[in-house]
Amino acid sequence: MSGKADPRAAGEGSTSRTRLDRGRGALGPALELVHTGRAPTRAVLTAELGVTRATAGAVAAELEALGLIRVDARPGAAAGSQGRPSHRLSVAEDGPVALAAQVHADGFRAALVGLGGRIVATAPGCETVDPDPGEVLGSVVEAGAELLRTTGRRCVGAGLAVPSAVAEPEGLALNPLHLAWPPGAPVRRLFAECVRAAGITGPAFAANDINLAALAEHRHGAGRGARDLLCVATGHRGVGGALVLDGRLHSGSAGLALEVGHLTVNPEGRPCHCGSRGCLDVEADPLAFLTAAGREPGPVVSLLQQADDLIRHHYDDPAVRTAVEALVDRLGLGLAGLVNILNPDRIILGGLHGTLLGAAPDRLRAVVADRSLWGQSGGVPILPCTLAHNSLVGAAELAWQPVLDDPLSAPA
């Protein structure tokens, strides 16, 4: 055999490198398209990126080489289809993960979340929250570190969801009203210190749990495709809200936007932790529902689970039905005010609010339509959230974002 290089092979390699060089700037947008399920095939990727098929192929190959996606080179054509079938694209099932952590009034949980919002592994949840945030965050990070040791997965970073507004740029939990934490706890710094102490590389982030739920639902769940998405939810205690505008989470000038829990929906109602009265926070959360239904909260399971079970299994009880109607009316009043101000193209409801929507959908939609100017002109779709553990998935999105911005930064 001759020792000379094949000039055709050299030319093909040079052409491939040129295509990849042109596509370097498209790596992040391409990964985000696959991550959010908007580019299931290479043909769709080509169209969405506005590049040639060859460049899209080079970009997909590079993302596959980085261990982030998989390219199915033999996708069989669908019955009755015409033309050459396009390669299918999917996230790499054995790829890297983000450590996600969530703290709420009834405990905390850690999970590993891959691209595509896939929960890869979860640690058993804890049902008590120490008044020292450092102790809690140390415990939840250690649970996540154990998952990483067990699975052997690469980790891109860590994200934390907390039931409080998180002030930027310091990362302070300003009002952890339903935790015994001090106001202004430096949760981002404490979380980052715990992550580093556990030997986990990559950046660490922290944000409000409902903001993160909205982000996850917009990318992977009931909010996908919405331009201006309003999310309102009640989990274990209190009510939170979030807004996604033009595909980006709107957090305000200091991370404190959409404190919807302190909208007044019942002027003569219950005293609120904020010093006001009749706020959505205390008029439409699980404790408010159990109280309205005449049920004494039990200690065994969370308030959210107790309220959900009561609606799902005892809705024929007049007291339960009356409580549902009362909370639906208060929730609808709050949503109507938000619709008037924000004019969203979709509303998604999480936690107990999703259950209330399922129990009395017509009543809730009627209250919103009757009380909102834009609702009267056509109505705003109101849907339940669809992702299990959406705040955990959203916490992982924080850690994934640097990789989505620059896939070459992913750990080898």
Side-chain angles (χ1 to χ4, degrees):
M1 294 180 62
S2 171
K4 296 182 180 179
D6 185 343
R8 292 173 298 172
E12 290 170 0
S14 176
T15 301
S16 178
R17 284 193 298 274
T18 299
R19 289 169 181 159
L20 183 56
D21 288 341
R22 288 176 185 163
R24 290 287 185 191
L27 284 174
L31 181 59
E32 184 167 339
L33 286 166
V34 178
H35 171 60
T36 56
R38 290 178 290 154
T41 67
R42 202 169 69 182
V44 176
L45 183 68
T46 301
E48 289 288 337
L49 293 177
V51 299
T52 66
R53 187 167 64 185
T55 298
V59 168
E62 176 74 355
L63 292 174
E64 185 173 38
L66 291 169
L68 299 171
I69 74 169
R70 291 288 176 263
V71 180
D72 182 355
R74 295 177 300 150
S81 63
Q82 296 182 351
R84 186 167 62 181
S86 179
H87 293 10
R88 296 199 64 80
L89 307 177
S90 60
V91 298
E93 292 186 359
D94 58 349
V97 295
L99 190 160
Q102 181 181 12
V103 179
H104 52 72
D106 293 312
F108 60 82
R109 180 179 291 275
L112 304 182
V113 184
L115 282 168
R118 299 173 302 110
I119 295 181
V120 173
T122 58
C126 177
E127 296 180 356
T128 58
V129 179
D130 194 279
D132 180 352
E135 289 291 328
V136 179
L137 298 181
S139 297
V140 72
V141 169
E142 179 52 39
E146 179 60 28
L147 289 176
L148 288 170
R149 288 190 290 268
T150 301
T151 61
R153 303 293 279 264
R154 295 177 287 155
C155 184
V156 301
L160 169 69
V162 292
S164 167
V166 177
E168 300 293 350
E170 299 90 352
L172 308 179
L174 289 189
N175 58 342
L177 297 176
H178 305 293
L179 304 176
W181 292 359
V187 291
R188 181 177 299 146
R189 176 178 62 79
L190 293 173
F191 183 61
E193 290 172 353
C194 293
V195 167
R196 286 195 296 271
I200 299 170
T201 58
F205 305 87
N208 170 261
D209 53 2
I210 304 302
N211 279 351
L212 297 180
L215 181 62
E217 292 285 346
H218 186 264
R219 290 183 174 179
H220 308 292
R224 185 182 291 174
R227 177 183 173 185
D228 298 329
L229 175 70
L230 172 64
C231 175
V232 176
T234 178
H236 297 265
R237 290 292 299 275
V239 175
L243 184 67
V244 177
L245 295 175
D246 288 328
R248 292 191 172 275
L249 191 64
H250 175 71
S251 55
S253 61
L256 309 178
L258 270 291
E259 278 290 305
V260 305
H262 300 290
L263 288 172
T264 299
V265 294
N266 183 11
E268 305 302 321
R270 299 178 178 84
C272 183
H273 324 278
C274 70
S276 186
R277 182 177 287 276
C279 293
L280 204 58
D281 213 46
V282 292
E283 295 288 337
D285 79 339
L287 181 59
F289 175 76
L290 293 171
T291 302
R295 299 308 203 268
E296 189 69 27
V300 179
V301 298
S302 71
L303 296 175
L304 175 61
Q305 187 64 56
Q306 292 177 60
D308 271 345
D309 288 345
L310 201 57
I311 296 172
R312 296 182 192 281
H313 305 302
H314 301 282
Y315 190 56
D316 55 347
D317 183 323
V320 173
R321 185 181 293 270
T322 299
V324 166
E325 292 174 351
L327 260 73
V328 161
D329 289 349
R330 293 167 193 163
L331 174 61
L333 185 61
L335 293 178
L338 292 168
V339 167
N340 286 336
I341 296 169
L342 302 172
N343 188 28
D345 60 6
R346 192 180 309 173
I347 299 171
I348 57 173
L349 302 179
L352 178 62
H353 293 164
T355 307
L356 291 170
L357 174 63
D362 294 339
R363 187 183 185 98
L364 180 59
R365 293 185 176 110
V367 172
V368 175
D370 290 344
R371 294 293 191 124
S372 61
L373 177 62
W374 310 124
Q376 294 172 8
S377 65
V380 182
I382 304 176
L383 306 172
C385 292
T386 57
L387 297 179
H389 306 299
N390 50 19
S391 291
L392 274 175
V393 174
E397 291 294 319
L398 294 179
W400 273 113
Q401 192 59 52
V403 177
L404 295 175
D405 292 337
D406 178 16
L408 296 176
S409 69

